[in-house]
Amino acid sequence: PSLRGKPVVVLSNNDGCAVARSNEAKALGIKMGEPYFKFRNLAQKHDVVVLSSNFTLYGNMSERVMEILRTRAPRVEVYSVDEAFLDFTGMNAFEVEHSLTDLEGTLLQWTGLPVSIGAASTKTLAKIANHLAKKNGTPCILHSGPALDHLLRRFPLGDIWGIGRGYTRLLHSFGLQSAYDLKQASPKWVRQYMGVMGEKIVAELNGHCAFTLHDVEADKKMITVSRSYAPAIQNKAALATLIRGYVERAAEKMRRQNLVAKGVLTYVRSNRFQRESYYRNAHLTHLPLASSYTPTLIKAALYNLDTIFKTGIDYKKAGVCLVDLHREDQLQYGLFEGSDPRHHPTMNMIDTLNLRMGPRTIRFGNIRKLTTKTNTSCNRLSPAYVTEWDQLMRVR
């Protein structure tokens, strides 16, 4: 709350570039993805609050918000870490307005987080309403009629959910400038140039639901864990230690969703701004049997690293992807195939102990905490107010 009204920027891993900005920071001209060194002087001149990413804190606060949302609507689709769709079907306009105002106040009181809430008859229109709510600072509800058409005439094409830069340029070339222009376009013409997705967007602008609410989260197809380094790493053993840790975290996430992987991909890259010596590579290992057993996944990831590692390279980033994921209880094996029956109870016991005793209490192989020379740079990290006992806020 103390940052409200101030320009705030959150940096990516390794304090590299801007990945989140407050409206005040946007007004100063700080762009999304802009490297910090480019706007450092601007930030100092205008007293911009610059923070390192704290994903543990963000994830925890996101879960708290989503739990509150689930108590206010019968159906909730968690769209991203900071966004969700709620279904208020059956409520009249007065009930919706009262519910949204009450929800905004509850979230602020219980979590301290200001939110933007937009409501409409379709997802696409609700996203437009949310865009307006961010500017106005109050919940925005869009109703069909002349007032909506007037608003859409002033709403830029590029700000419509699902319309990227490429489609914006295409539509501009045909003389379409606003959301209202797209709403009036022929569905047949839109399908010809923008495909089925474009046709659905037009239907939604006209108040017809084309994007349904997915209140059951779809299974992930890939889980990735990666980090950037400051300074870079040349030592293969140090990189292998980090890769083992990434596999551990990815496998733990995968098991929580009752998934198994059929492939493990490892990738590395050097500093992409040094084009003359830039190196990047990746290798994918297909597993003979889908697995969630961490030692099996580590073995595959390290084999990949052996394949792509080159000496003399300053590696700035590395990561592991568990790919081709399937639900374990829906996987069919051959007559003489199947995972080792000891693997599942072993991993279940380790996950349980790590949950009770703290993350990574039990680890695999020579996974040690590296010196600061191989850690990522997070010099502006905000306190973990709700995830670390020694960083809890004090009330006097």
Side-chain angles (χ1 to χ4, degrees):
S2 63
L3 298 178
R4 193 171 301 154
K6 297 181 179 179
V8 180
V9 173
V10 178
L11 301 176
S12 62
N13 276 337
N14 211 30
D15 289 349
C17 57
V19 293
R21 304 155 297 153
S22 66
N23 288 333
E24 295 78 9
K26 294 176 183 177
L28 293 174
I30 299 174
K31 300 179 177 60
M32 177 66 78
E34 185 176 0
Y36 177 52
F37 72 85
K38 287 189 175 182
F39 66 87
R40 181 184 285 111
N41 292 336
L42 179 67
Q44 292 173 350
K45 179 180 178 180
H46 294 279
D47 295 324
V48 177
V49 179
V50 181
L51 299 171
S52 302
S53 297
N54 189 334
F55 295 111
T56 302
L57 175 63
Y58 305 154
N60 183 278
M61 296 305 297
S62 174
E63 290 173 6
R64 292 170 183 246
V65 171
M66 300 308 170
E67 283 302 312
I68 295 172
L69 297 184
R70 292 186 182 100
T71 67
R72 300 306 177 97
R75 300 180 62 206
V76 176
E77 176 188 341
V78 179
Y79 185 66
S80 67
V81 69
D82 64 346
E83 195 168 6
F85 290 102
L86 283 70
D87 185 1
F88 286 112
T89 300
M91 290 187 180
N92 60 40
F94 174 78
E95 290 173 329
V96 171
E97 184 176 359
H98 175 75
S99 297
L100 298 186
T101 303
D102 179 67
L103 177 59
E104 181 186 36
T106 299
L107 288 169
L108 183 61
Q109 181 181 5
W110 291 9
T111 68
L113 297 176
V115 296
S116 301
I117 303 177
S121 57
T122 69
K123 280 186 172 181
T124 302
L125 289 175
K127 289 282 288 185
I128 291 176
N130 180 263
H131 184 89
L132 298 173
K134 288 180 180 178
K135 291 185 176 180
N136 300 330
T138 57
C140 176
I141 303 176
L142 298 182
H143 303 283
S144 59
L148 175 59
D149 288 343
H150 177 70
L151 185 150
L152 294 180
R153 284 188 175 95
R154 295 181 287 114
F155 197 83
L157 281 170
D159 290 338
I160 300 174
W161 185 43
I163 302 294
R165 294 178 181 176
Y167 279 142
T168 300
R169 288 193 294 268
L170 172 69
L171 295 171
H172 283 172
S173 69
F174 283 101
L176 281 71
Q177 300 295 327
S178 69
Y180 181 79
D181 294 337
L182 183 59
K183 176 185 176 181
Q184 297 298 110
S186 162
K188 183 177 180 181
W189 181 89
V190 172
R191 188 184 183 100
Q192 178 182 354
Y193 289 99
M194 299 176 64
V196 176
M197 187 62 66
E199 190 176 16
K200 287 185 175 181
I201 292 173
V202 171
E204 294 243 326
L205 289 173
N206 282 277
H208 306 298
C209 285
F211 299 118
T212 57
L213 196 75
H214 302 288
D215 50 349
V216 177
E217 187 175 357
D219 291 335
K220 293 183 181 295
K221 299 301 181 184
M222 178 176 69
I223 294 177
T224 302
V225 176
S226 64
R227 293 291 183 272
S228 300
Y229 312 123
I233 299 175
Q234 281 195 352
N235 185 277
K236 182 181 179 182
L239 204 55
T241 297
L242 294 166
I243 292 295
R244 290 191 189 97
Y246 301 161
V247 174
E248 278 191 345
R249 287 193 283 275
E252 189 176 306
K253 291 181 182 179
M254 183 173 64
R255 288 191 294 270
R256 282 202 297 263
Q257 300 174 55
N258 193 33
L259 300 174
V260 290
K262 286 189 173 182
V264 180
L265 181 141
T266 307
Y267 67 90
V268 295
R269 70 167 174 81
S270 62
N271 190 337
R272 58 192 175 94
F273 295 108
Q274 297 176 353
R275 297 185 178 181
E276 300 80 7
S277 59
Y278 182 53
Y279 174 75
R280 66 175 181 178
N281 207 343
H283 191 269
L284 171 65
T285 293
H286 296 280
L287 302 176
L289 291 175
S291 177
S292 64
Y293 186 53
T294 299
T296 298
L297 303 175
I298 288 176
K299 182 178 179 180
L302 293 182
Y303 170 78
N304 294 339
L305 181 63
D306 288 339
T307 304
I308 61 179
F309 183 86
K310 285 186 176 182
T311 57
I313 302 290
D314 290 327
Y315 292 99
K316 290 288 291 183
K317 186 173 184 177
V320 170
C321 304
L322 304 183
V323 301
D324 198 4
L325 305 183
H326 300 267
R327 293 193 65 82
E328 189 173 21
D329 53 6
Q330 296 177 0
L331 206 62
Q332 292 185 344
Y333 294 101
L335 181 61
F336 300 104
E337 294 178 334
S339 60
D340 191 319
R342 297 169 296 180
H343 289 176
H344 189 275
T346 299
M347 299 315 304
N348 186 51
M349 178 187 67
I350 291 174
D351 289 343
T352 301
L353 288 173
N354 283 334
L355 182 62
R356 290 180 180 177
M357 307 301 294
R360 296 178 286 282
T361 298
I362 298 180
R363 311 196 68 181
F364 288 85
N366 182 25
I367 300 180
R368 55 190 172 81
K369 185 174 182 179
L370 297 176
T371 64
T372 54
K373 289 185 178 181
T374 55
N375 287 339
T376 56
S377 175
C378 298
N379 298 322
R380 300 167 180 82
L381 194 66
S382 55
Y385 297 112
V386 294
T387 57
E388 296 290 342
W389 285 106
D390 59 347
Q391 297 182 39
L392 290 178
M393 297 184 72
R394 294 184 179 183
V395 179
R396 291 185 175 88

